[in-house]
Amino acid sequence: GITAPTGVLLWGPPGCGKTLLAKAVANESKANFISIKGPELLNKYVGESERAVRQVFERARSSVPCILFFDELDALVPKREDSLSEASSKVVNTLLTELDGLSNRAGIYVVAATNRPDMIDPAMLRPGRLGTSVFIDLPTASERVEILKALYSKALPQAPLDPHLEAVARDPRCDGYSGADLGNLHQAAAVAALRRDRGRDAQDLRIESVDWEAALAKVKASVKDAVKYRRLKDRGM
């Protein structure tokens, strides 16, 4: 008699892989994946935004099983207050109606992502809609090692793993790095290697410890308010 929840909200600091996680879920489950950026559904003409929301769910119903992914959800369903325009309120109402299952939602799973969970209308987060919230935090030292290894293997699939990767990922200067920051770090190290050995054949080029040092000196953590997200988590967001 237990039904699986069909709506999940992924929230946390920017650059921590919320969108990537949703894609990985779709890939592992072999389900169709429809990705929508929240703002792209908004239209200045009366009634067009609501129609766009309904069309998204119609597409999902025609391709079940389907994972419907809403990125930047806070832009699409802000809190309904007196200051909110009537057009924006109608978009929120339309999305709530679709999520309530007034139309058939069998085989449609909704995943949403946001960096600002406090900006989302509370009605979106009740059970039956996006009732399950998953906090995606900044990676730990061990997770940073795995992320850097994955980034390196993707860039150079045939090359052996760089022996410096683990030491770099566990460096105290990497504390507070998001997944996106680690990608930026790897890019900066590669650019430093190119500049250091400008005349060498690209096939023989390797990222050395001096290149990682140059990258660590250049790349800074982009998430400045990680504590704010943990406070939201402690408050039961």
Side-chain angles (χ1 to χ4, degrees), residues 27 29 33 35 50 55 62 66 69 77 89-90 93 95-96 108 120 139 143 152 164 173 178 215:
N27 187 54
S29 62
F33 185 74
S35 178
E50 299 95 288
Q55 283 177 340
S62 66
C66 177
F69 178 62
V77 285
S89 294
K90 285 180 178 177
N93 293 337
L95 189 53
L96 290 175
I108 301 173
I120 295 172
E143 289 164 348
Y152 194 89
H164 305 103
R173 287 172 289 179
S178 66

Side-chain angles (χ1 to χ4, degrees), residues 4-73:
T6 54
V8 178
L9 176 69
L10 306 176
W11 66 279
C16 286
K18 296 181 288 293
T19 305
L20 189 64
L21 184 58
K23 289 178 180 176
V25 168
N27 187 54
E28 287 294 316
S29 62
K30 303 294 187 288
N32 294 306
F33 185 74
I34 299 175
S35 178
I36 293 99
K37 294 276 187 186
E40 75 186 28
L41 293 179
L42 302 177
N43 195 306
K44 65 179 180 179
Y45 296 107
V46 175
E48 286 299 307
S49 298
E50 299 95 288
R51 188 161 72 96
V53 171
R54 287 192 293 270
Q55 283 177 340
V56 164
F57 279 88
E58 283 170 15
R59 277 176 60 200
R61 278 191 284 273
S62 66
S63 54
V64 293
C66 177
I67 291 176
L68 198 51
F69 178 62
F70 289 95
D71 206 357
E72 307 296 341
L73 186 70

Side-chain angles (χ1 to χ4, degrees), residues 9 73 96 99 114 117-118 120-133 237:
L9 176 69
L73 186 70
L96 290 175
L99 287 174
T114 182
D118 51 320
I120 295 172
D121 192 279
M124 282 294 298
L125 305 178
R126 78 158 179 76
R129 292 167 182 167
L130 299 179
T132 305
S133 291
M237 171 57 223

Side-chain angles (χ1 to χ4, degrees), residues 137-183:
D137 202 356
L138 292 168
T140 62
S142 300
E143 289 164 348
R144 291 199 299 267
V145 174
E146 295 302 317
I147 291 170
L148 261 188
K149 284 180 179 177
L151 289 167
Y152 194 89
S153 298
K154 185 177 179 182
L156 300 166
Q158 305 300 326
L161 275 177
D162 186 338
H164 305 103
L165 285 179
E166 182 152 357
V168 170
R170 294 184 184 279
D171 192 296
R173 287 172 289 179
C174 284
D175 288 346
Y177 273 29
S178 66
D181 293 332
L182 290 169

